[in-house]
Amino acid sequence: MSDPPDPNSIPLHTRDLHPTDLQLARLAVRDDAAFEALVNRHAAGVHRLAAAMVGPGAADDVVQDVFIAVHRGLKGFRGEAAFSTWLHRITLNACHKALRGKGHPTVPLSDTPGLAAPHDPVHAGEQADLRVRLAQALHSLPADQREAVSLRELSGLDYAEIAEVTGAELGTVKSRINRGRAALRAYLTKMEITP
């Protein structure tokens, strides 16, 4: 009896409908459909993190930079860390580059329009205002706290994953998140928003 074929050598369209990130990453080196599947799977999360770090006006450009870097780096991705950890590190690097002014300019939060729902403009306006205030609160944090809180609350990473992505000690990550959450509560309370 022969061994089953390596799942990473089978074309994406003929395999499991839910391949892992590692399987997709290995296939994406030579298969555009696999790369597109990775992008589709992770683009929204990358965009949320980028918007939190650099503002919504620059997030689209950062996302583009991230996936260009991912595509270029796939051959060197060995899978020693989780794909999501590697992707978050690339995202943070692209955000830091944008914030240093070497990348794309950020747009002030007050200049970004909210999306209006045609069925309830009052509610949509309130939601857009709340999103702007929450983004302002997040941007009021020091960079290390904003990064840790964003990775936890927007990307859903656990403390150990955040430590791996940021290179900080686990205790430092917990401290940054606790201080960041406390500062956000204080900021939002001052703005008369119940956290």
Side-chain angles (χ1 to χ4, degrees), residues 45-91:
V46 169
H47 192 276
R48 276 192 306 275
L49 181 57
M53 296 298 295
V54 301
D60 289 343
D61 291 336
V62 169
V63 171
Q64 182 176 347
D65 290 346
V66 166
F67 284 108
I68 288 170
V70 166
H71 193 266
R72 288 179 181 155
L74 279 172
K75 285 184 182 178
F77 178 65
R78 296 182 304 273
E80 294 171 354
F83 177 81
S84 62
T85 301
W86 183 66
L87 178 62
H88 282 96
R89 184 70 260 162
I90 291 171
T91 303

Side-chain angles (χ1 to χ4, degrees), residues 143-192:
D144 59 347
Q145 291 176 21
R146 182 173 62 242
E147 184 177 273
V149 169
S150 296
L151 288 169
R152 177 73 186 128
E153 302 301 335
L154 300 176
S155 296
L157 285 114
D158 64 31
Y159 295 119
E161 291 171 318
I162 295 168
E164 188 174 351
V165 168
T166 62
E169 295 292 326
L170 185 61
T172 302
V173 167
K174 290 179 181 180
S175 176
R176 288 176 181 171
I177 291 171
N178 287 335
R179 286 193 320 262
R181 285 176 175 163
L184 286 174
R185 264 191 300 281
Y187 185 96
L188 294 172
T189 300
K190 183 177 175 184
M191 305 269 306
E192 299 180 358

Side-chain angles (χ1 to χ4, degrees), residues 1-177:
M1 195 171 209
S2 65
D3 290 332
D6 176 11
N8 293 322
S9 67
I10 301 171
L12 183 61
H13 61 278
T14 60
R15 289 193 296 114
D16 181 6
L17 295 177
H18 303 288
T20 66
D21 286 342
L22 182 57
Q23 290 170 327
L24 284 174
R26 288 182 176 158
L27 285 169
V29 171
R30 64 186 180 284
D31 184 345
D32 290 340
F35 182 72
E36 185 177 339
L38 274 175
V39 171
N40 290 336
R41 184 178 287 179
H42 294 284
V46 169
H47 192 276
R48 276 192 306 275
L49 181 57
M53 296 298 295
V54 301
D60 289 343
D61 291 336
V62 169
V63 171
Q64 182 176 347
D65 290 346
V66 166
F67 284 108
I68 288 170
V70 166
H71 193 266
R72 288 179 181 155
L74 279 172
K75 285 184 182 178
F77 178 65
R78 296 182 304 273
E80 294 171 354
F83 177 81
S84 62
T85 301
W86 183 66
L87 178 62
H88 282 96
R89 184 70 260 162
I90 291 171
T91 303
L92 290 177
N93 288 344
C95 290
H96 293 304
K97 181 180 175 186
L99 289 170
R100 284 191 308 266
K102 295 179 183 173
H104 307 282
T106 59
V107 174
L109 294 169
S110 59
D111 292 349
T112 57
L115 298 175
H119 59 280
D120 188 358
V122 172
H123 181 70
E126 290 170 353
Q127 291 297 313
D129 182 56
L130 180 59
R131 279 193 301 275
V132 167
R133 288 176 181 224
L134 290 172
Q136 288 171 334
L138 192 57
H139 280 270
S140 73
L141 297 177
D144 59 347
Q145 291 176 21
R146 182 173 62 242
E147 184 177 273
V149 169
S150 296
L151 288 169
R152 177 73 186 128
E153 302 301 335
L154 300 176
S155 296
L157 285 114
D158 64 31
Y159 295 119
E161 291 171 318
I162 295 168
E164 188 174 351
V165 168
T166 62
E169 295 292 326
L170 185 61
T172 302
V173 167
K174 290 179 181 180
S175 176
R176 288 176 181 171
I177 291 171

